[in-house]
Amino acid sequence: MLHPVGDLPAGVYWRRRALVLGIAASLLGGGGWLVASTVPTTETDPQVAASSGPAQPSLEAPSLEQVVPSLASVQTPAAPEEGSATASAAPPAEETAAAPVTAAAPDPGQPCTDDMVAVDVLPGAPQATVGSKPTMTLVVTNVSGVPCTRSLDAGLREIVLLDGAGARVWGSNDCFPEVSSDARVLAAGEAVGFPLQWGGLTSEPACTAPRSAPPAGAYSLQGRLDTKVGDPTPFTLVA
């Protein structure tokens, strides 16, 4: 190789060899630069290495929004307006009136005392003819404001005829006494009537004395229920 052999002078062959070597050297240099540019270097920028490395957990404290839930979804009732139904629905405790205490219903089994009843005689007419048989009614009324019970037995009811001086002339139980058991509950203000026909003659208790027609004049009728005696009612006998 160092001593080229050929027909041409030796200088020619040396120039050819130098040209080939130069081309080869250029090719080798360019190839090496290309390879170096494509192969990553092992020394990298610290900032690049930090950003490309695996993510490290953050040690910073969580923000307040992450710890305390948002209050946007919490609905706070609005204060009622003055005079609204909500504001006036519940009055202050000191202004609340106490519930009325219902009084116990009256016991209808309580007895009717003499002060609780009235006894009256209602004649069919304010006057009657001597010797006639007029009709009259004994009326018992509960004048109290509560119901009560009173015995209205026939033996306890009586109508008497009194003359102008107040002397007894006739009694409904003298000659024809009746016996019955009649306990009743009288409502407040209730009145019960018992009609009776008078025979037109005088009488005495036990009906032992002779009977006769009383003369014409001014009389009064008076009712009685056991121990309760009513007020007299004017009555006139005419001839």
Side-chain angles (χ1 to χ4, degrees):
M1 295 180 60
L2 297 178
H3 300 281
V5 177
D7 295 336
L8 296 176
V12 175
Y13 293 104
W14 284 112
R15 286 194 295 272
R16 291 180 178 180
R17 292 181 178 180
L19 180 59
V20 172
L21 290 176
I23 294 174
S26 298
L27 293 176
L28 289 176
W33 177 83
L34 180 61
V35 172
S37 63
T38 56
V39 176
T41 178
T42 57
E43 295 181 1
T44 58
D45 193 322
Q47 296 181 355
V48 176
S51 62
S52 61
Q56 298 296 326
S58 176
L59 299 180
E60 295 181 0
S63 62
L64 183 61
E65 290 78 3
Q66 295 174 336
V67 176
V68 180
S70 175
L71 299 180
S73 61
V74 179
Q75 297 182 357
T76 303
E81 297 181 0
E82 182 179 357
S84 64
T86 304
S88 60
E94 61 273 14
E95 298 180 1
T96 303
V101 179
T102 304
D107 181 9
Q110 63 179 327
C112 298
T113 63
D114 288 348
D115 294 337
M116 300 173 69
V117 295
V119 180
D120 301 290
V121 178
L122 301 180
Q127 64 182 22
T129 305
V130 174
S132 66
K133 299 179 179 181
T135 300
M136 55 199 68
T137 303
L138 178 71
V139 180
V140 179
T141 306
N142 178 3
V143 295
S144 71
V146 296
C148 57
T149 302
R150 182 78 183 217
S151 178
L152 304 179
D153 297 351
L156 302 178
R157 304 190 308 261
E158 185 180 26
I159 298 176
V160 297
L161 178 68
L162 305 174
D163 61 15
R168 191 174 188 276
V169 176
W170 164 79
S172 60
N173 286 346
D174 290 344
C175 298
F176 304 98
E178 297 182 12
V179 178
S180 67
S181 178
D182 190 2
R184 299 193 189 185
V185 175
L186 300 177
E190 181 180 2
V192 182
F194 302 93
L196 176 68
Q197 186 178 35
W198 175 37
L201 303 176
T202 61
S203 66
E204 295 180 359
C207 201
T208 56
R211 305 183 64 191
S212 62
Y219 294 86
S220 64
L221 294 170
Q222 190 174 44
R224 178 181 67 86
L225 177 64
D226 196 11
T227 56
K228 176 66 177 183
V229 179
D231 297 330
T233 301
F235 184 70
T236 304
L237 288 176
V238 295

